[in-house]
Amino acid sequence: MLNNSQTTWVCVSCNKMKATHPHGVTFIKTVHTQSDKHKSLGRLGQKEFDIISSPTGWLDCNIIHESQILLANVNKSITGFQRPTLGPVGQFDIQVSDFVQILHVNNNHWICVSSIKCAPGYVNLLDSQSKTEISQEIVGLVKNLLGPSYKGINQQPVQQQQNNSDCGVFTIAFATCLVYGQDPQLINFSIPMMHPHLLNCLQGSAIHPFLTV
């Protein structure tokens, strides 16, 4: 099956799992410890690198979370970066400090949320394919992250993708801005360089700011 936003998405690392979520994400178990919720989903191989290399490659949960693991090492004062597969089953740990989290929504789209520089109970939503309304699915995921302190979501004006496949690389770019202390609203990425840059970062086990124009 082609790996893009138009195909039914099931996590590559989860093919052997038995319990299937209604939205198409498959899970092996419910985890309960902080370390499990940040643990790698599996080492990246040539298959994942080929996806990243393709200008229309749609990033799967394995690639997204390996990127999150590297981002978590950039700025230790920023929390979050939990495995995206935990969101649909309500298993995120509640966040009480500045956090960044990449979320999978609508069975075919990646978005980024962050509480950095937000009032208590609020998060900023960074979406490279902005919708007119914030869906109840997104609200539910954010409520899982904030717990009873949840108050609302602020959608931020950020650069938009130009195809149906780049949401994953954009969310990583937005998250990279945040951990490096940059404002994603003020950044205009060089789109042709986004996939090659991400590939170099993951192969080198360190994520650096994306190139801009």
Side-chain angles (χ1 to χ4, degrees), residues 38-76:
H38 299 82
K39 185 179 179 181
S40 172
L41 289 168
R43 189 171 184 175
L44 300 184
Q46 191 58 49
K47 181 178 180 179
E48 288 79 18
F49 292 148
D50 288 344
I51 292 171
I52 300 167
S53 298
S54 170
T56 57
W58 196 86
L59 308 190
D60 61 26
C61 63
N62 196 5
I63 298 169
I64 292 290
H65 191 51
E66 287 303 302
S67 301
Q68 287 197 133
I69 290 172
L70 295 180
L71 287 167
N73 293 326
V74 174
N75 189 335
K76 297 294 186 180

Side-chain angles (χ1 to χ4, degrees), residues 45-204:
Q46 191 58 49
K47 181 178 180 179
E48 288 79 18
F49 292 148
D50 288 344
I51 292 171
I52 300 167
S53 298
S54 170
T56 57
W58 196 86
L59 308 190
D60 61 26
C61 63
N62 196 5
I63 298 169
I64 292 290
H65 191 51
E66 287 303 302
S67 301
Q68 287 197 133
I69 290 172
L70 295 180
L71 287 167
N73 293 326
V74 174
N75 189 335
K76 297 294 186 180
S77 67
I78 297 175
T79 62
F81 301 117
Q82 300 178 71
R83 293 162 61 175
T85 50
L86 297 171
V89 290
Q91 292 295 316
F92 282 139
D93 283 333
I94 293 176
Q95 304 298 288
V96 295
S97 58
D98 284 346
F99 72 87
V100 176
Q101 180 65 49
I102 294 177
L103 303 173
H104 185 254
V105 299
N106 198 35
N107 200 36
N108 66 353
H109 188 50
W110 295 106
I111 61 173
C112 180
V113 295
S114 173
S115 64
I116 296 173
K117 296 185 178 179
C118 289
Y122 288 89
V123 300
N124 288 332
L125 168 62
L126 309 170
D127 184 356
S128 62
Q129 199 173 51
S130 296
K131 309 297 189 298
T132 55
E133 295 182 2
I134 297 173
S135 70
Q136 287 303 306
E137 180 185 11
I138 294 173
V139 172
L141 291 169
V142 173
K143 284 183 175 179
N144 185 213
L145 285 165
L146 293 177
S149 67
Y150 170 81
K151 292 183 180 178
I153 300 172
N154 305 312
Q155 189 157 6
Q156 303 295 298
V158 290
Q159 186 178 0
Q160 300 292 282
Q161 63 192 79
Q162 296 179 353
N163 60 23
N164 291 322
S165 305
D166 274 351
C167 53
V169 70
F170 266 94
T171 57
I172 295 170
F174 296 148
T176 302
C177 286
L178 293 169
V179 299
Y180 278 97
Q182 300 173 329
D183 184 349
Q185 298 181 78
L186 305 178
I187 302 296
N188 192 34
F189 302 109
S190 173
I191 293 178
M193 296 303 299
M194 293 182 81
H195 283 264
H197 177 79
L198 179 60
L199 179 63
N200 289 334
C201 289
L202 289 172
Q203 289 179 329

Side-chain angles (χ1 to χ4, degrees), residues 6-22:
Q6 302 306 310
T7 59
T8 300
W9 180 75
V10 176
C11 175
V12 172
S13 300
C14 304
N15 286 338
K16 296 182 181 179
M17 301 178 182
K18 295 181 179 180
T20 303
H21 185 269

